[in-house]
Amino acid sequence: MPPLDLGVLISGRGSNLQAILDAIAAGRLDARVRLVLSNRADVEGLARAERAGVPTRVIAHRDFTDRDSFDAAVVAALREAGATWVVLAGFMRLLTTTFLDAFPHRVVNIHPSLLPSFPGVDAQQQALDHGVRVTGCTVHLVDAGTDTGPILAQAAVPVLDGDDRDALAARILVQEHGLLIRALSWIAEGRLQIAPPDVPGGRARATLAGVETALGLAQSGPARGDVGGVGEVGEGA
């Protein structure tokens, strides 16, 4: 199969973008980053892309009167760059159907919780507020809902006594980096299969051929327990 042609959308520091760039450089991910696009100028993620020789572009959402027109401009930029898959790597904007219809089942997001628990913003603090003992991260395809798209892979991270939001977020982020690369690698290998909804208005279903459905439990330290999961439910830095 040809390499994945990725467009990566960011809004900040781009640590998950860096994980993608490092994996490509090391030969662990068969992909090419065609464009890194940010809705904010002067963010660290753009500098990461420039150091790697990857084209960058800034399209400020505040320059548009509505979400659809902003999304149409982003779609045009991605298509011009030759991107056929999109990765949301800390992109802090909700996508409209204008965007999703342009890349059907080809928009990948990583979220810092075990979806469907704690969707939306500040999932790490949500986990602490609810007193859960295990949280984690999820790689999923994006649909029109908030973090409701088909789940591709998950990694679990224990919530430790004394954790605050920053400590928990840092430990989850370690797992995000490994899990995102693993999920993108499975896509690059042609493992992803999409089944249409069983009923009108239902959710599409995603499976990854040859991938176990176990959920890995990762301790603090290097990513090592991010075992893939598949499902039909549906922000990282």
Side-chain angles (χ1 to χ4, degrees), residues 1 65 108 116 177 199 209 232:
M1 294 185 62
T65 58
V108 179
H177 295 165
V199 296
E232 43 187 280

Side-chain angles (χ1 to χ4, degrees), residues 72-133:
V74 174
V75 166
L78 291 168
R79 285 177 167 166
E80 181 181 356
T84 57
W85 283 84
V86 179
V87 180
L88 308 183
F91 187 62
M92 305 305 292
R93 299 288 298 170
L94 295 175
L95 300 178
T96 67
T97 54
T98 296
F99 192 103
L100 296 175
D101 288 349
F103 297 96
H105 306 305
R106 286 180 172 242
V107 182
V108 179
N109 185 45
I110 185 155
H111 181 78
S113 78
L114 296 177
L115 293 172
S117 297
F118 313 132
V121 298
D122 211 353
Q124 304 94 332
Q125 189 61 52
Q126 290 185 61
L128 292 171
D129 291 345
H130 280 77
V132 299
R133 304 309 299 167

Side-chain angles (χ1 to χ4, degrees), residues 141 150-153 186-187 190-195 204-211 213 229-232:
L141 300 179
I151 289 172
L152 302 182
W186 287 329
I187 294 172
R191 295 175 181 265
L192 178 62
Q193 301 172 350
I194 302 294
R205 292 169 294 161
T207 58
L208 291 160
V211 176
T213 58
V230 297
E232 43 187 280

Side-chain angles (χ1 to χ4, degrees), residues 136-220:
C137 52
T138 302
V139 177
H140 66 99
L141 300 179
V142 178
D143 64 10
T146 301
D147 299 318
T148 57
I151 289 172
L152 302 182
Q154 294 183 305
V157 175
V159 180
L160 305 181
D161 292 340
D163 266 345
D164 60 14
R165 192 261 181 208
D166 290 342
L168 180 59
R171 208 160 57 254
I172 293 172
L173 188 59
V174 172
Q175 301 306 317
E176 289 184 36
H177 295 165
L179 190 68
L180 179 59
I181 300 310
R182 183 165 291 190
L184 291 173
S185 295
W186 287 329
I187 294 172
E189 292 167 3
R191 295 175 181 265
L192 178 62
Q193 301 172 350
I194 302 294
D198 292 328
V199 296
R203 289 190 180 127
R205 292 169 294 161
T207 58
L208 291 160
V211 176
E212 296 179 359
T213 58
L215 180 67
L217 180 62
Q219 303 300 327
S220 59

Side-chain angles (χ1 to χ4, degrees), residues 19-105:
I20 293 171
L21 296 172
D22 290 346
I24 292 171
R28 294 185 290 111
L29 174 60
D30 189 16
R32 300 170 290 204
V33 178
R34 295 294 195 178
L35 180 68
V36 172
L37 188 149
S38 176
N39 63 313
R40 297 174 179 171
D42 301 322
V43 296
E44 184 180 351
L46 293 172
R48 292 177 188 270
E50 289 165 1
R51 287 194 295 269
V54 173
T56 63
R57 186 161 176 183
V58 176
I59 299 180
H61 61 276
R62 297 185 184 278
D63 292 342
F64 296 84
T65 58
D66 56 67
R67 290 183 182 274
D68 284 294
S69 57
F70 169 73
D71 280 4
V74 174
V75 166
L78 291 168
R79 285 177 167 166
E80 181 181 356
T84 57
W85 283 84
V86 179
V87 180
L88 308 183
F91 187 62
M92 305 305 292
R93 299 288 298 170
L94 295 175
L95 300 178
T96 67
T97 54
T98 296
F99 192 103
L100 296 175
D101 288 349
F103 297 96
H105 306 305

